[in-house]
């Protein structure tokens, strides 16, 4: 177990190791950031965004919250996506959930969770949308894991509903939105192979915000 005091020692060691590999590392890092990827994931401590993708500092813009939710009234998530698309011009947006997610499990409990109620409501809404399929899964853990996948799918749709994403894609053909699930038991990422063009076309019947005929 690492103590609080050891964090500073760890930091000094990290700086030394980065400098040993590249003595101009921090000069470059302190310049402009231009990440290709925006990663939206769960706050769970077991899923460090950079590490699972093998990315260095500066290579991925990161937003994390409980159960990787993208809600249209969440000023934080909306700001992150807007900034990443309009200013950083990221080419890919990844929504990454994970199996055995505490937030997803909590959303399936018939309990008052206090301040978490409105947050978990986003996931209960995903359950309602896919209730027939989920109720058909007998094994409780498999049902949680399927909801984790469906939650990723719905949060990807929420990203694609955003004006900044639709407008940028129309003009530049990016960003493309991807849905992933991380498996804590194996360390592997599963790509849910969301068909971005098909989802965009489908949601634009109702959520078209581009102002084009
Ligand atoms: Zn989680």
């Amino acid at each position: 177990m690492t103590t609080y005091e050891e964090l500073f020692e760890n930091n000094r060691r990290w700086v030394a190791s980065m400098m040993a590999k590249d003595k101009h590392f921090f000069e470059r890092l302190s310049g402009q950031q231009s990440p290709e990827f925006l990663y939206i994931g769960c706050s769970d401590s077991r899923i460090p965004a950079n590490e699972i993708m093998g990315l260095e500092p500066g290579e991925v813009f990161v937003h994390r919250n409980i159960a990787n939710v993208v809600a249209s009234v969440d000023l934080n998530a909306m700001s992150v996506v807007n900034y990443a698309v309009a200013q950083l011009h990221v080419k890919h947006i990844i929504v990454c959930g994970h199996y055995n997610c505490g937030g997803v499990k909590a959303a399936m409990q018939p309990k008052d969770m206090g301040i978490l109620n409105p947050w978990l409501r986003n996931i209960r809404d995903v359950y309602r949308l896919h209730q027939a399929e989920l109720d058909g899964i007998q094994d409780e853990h498999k049902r949680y894991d399927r909801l984790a996948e469906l939650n990723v799918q719905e949060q990807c749709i929420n990203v694609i509903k955003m004006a900044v994403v639709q407008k940028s894609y129309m003009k530049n053909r990016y960003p493309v939105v991807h849905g992933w699930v991380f498996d804590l038991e194996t360390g592997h990422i599963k790509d849910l192979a969301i068909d971005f063009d098909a989802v965009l076309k489908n949601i634009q019947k109702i959520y078209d915000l581009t102002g084009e005929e």
Side-chain angles (χ1 to χ4, degrees), residues 72-84:
S72 66
V73 292
D74 176 6
L75 191 56
N76 188 351
M78 292 297 108
S79 302
V80 166
V81 176
N82 268 279
Y83 184 75

Side-chain angles (χ1 to χ4, degrees), residues 55-75:
L55 295 178
E56 295 293 326
E59 293 187 311
V60 57
F61 201 61
V62 173
H63 177 73
R64 291 169 68 180
N65 60 41
I66 291 174
N68 39 273
V69 166
V70 180
S72 66
V73 292
D74 176 6
L75 191 56

Side-chain angles (χ1 to χ4, degrees), residues 42 44 98 101-102:
C42 183
D44 193 305
H98 67 104
C101 180

